[in-house]
Amino acid sequence: MVLALLGGKDVRHAELAARFPGSAHNASVIRRVERFFDRHPIQPADVARVVLTLLPSAQPREFILYRTNWKYGQTDVNVLLLAVIWRGVAIPLLYELLPHGGGSHTEIRHTLMDDALCLLCAAEIRVLYADREFVGYDWI
């Protein structure tokens, strides 16, 4: 699966199936790809782990905590995001979709940072940037 993803640089199931070796019918291979993703959903922490591994090992790193919201049609989207900064660009690592408008709560921020600390140790964090929304004794 990984070789098909890397070789094809494409995530469409039919494109992945075309890169699998063997003589199975394309429809059978597509179904096998579908079953793989059904049984092994990709988790945000998995993606974050890969991103951190692929980035050059500049230790310790800079991170940013950010909350943003926008409308997707009539739907409000409110996201709390943790990103690593690399060459002046914030690369998203982990996120929490907030079920409400407005700011995040301390417990949600704690959850996000706990998830991050499962991927790296505190010594790998040089600085965590955040704006004035993220204040409070318990949070700090």
Side-chain angles (χ1 to χ4, degrees), residues 13-131:
H13 293 173
E15 295 298 321
L16 289 174
R19 290 178 167 38
F20 274 67
S23 59
H25 291 286
N26 200 42
S28 297
V29 180
I30 290 172
R31 185 64 194 126
R32 191 167 69 187
V33 170
E34 290 170 348
R35 281 195 306 270
F36 173 83
F37 285 111
D38 284 344
R39 294 179 184 156
H40 307 286
I42 297 173
Q43 301 297 318
D46 298 330
V47 175
R49 190 173 290 111
V50 169
V51 168
L52 289 170
T53 301
L54 292 176
L55 287 176
S57 59
Q59 298 291 339
R61 294 188 168 118
E62 296 179 358
F63 294 84
I64 185 167
L65 186 64
Y66 182 72
R67 189 192 58 81
T68 185
N69 61 294
W70 66 91
K71 280 213 180 273
Y72 182 71
Q74 296 299 315
T75 305
D76 287 310
V77 179
N78 195 5
V79 180
L80 178 65
L81 179 77
L82 178 71
V84 61
I85 298 174
W86 183 68
R87 294 188 178 177
V89 175
I91 301 172
L93 293 176
L94 299 171
Y95 64 91
E96 290 287 333
L97 295 176
L98 304 176
H100 52 77
S104 61
H105 299 290
T106 298
E107 62 208 37
I108 293 174
R109 294 191 300 268
H110 279 179
T111 299
L112 188 69
M113 292 308 296
D114 285 345
D115 292 346
L117 290 172
C118 289
L119 301 174
L120 50 104
C121 67
E124 294 176 85
I125 302 172
R126 185 173 87 173
V127 66
L128 174 64
Y129 297 104
D131 70 11

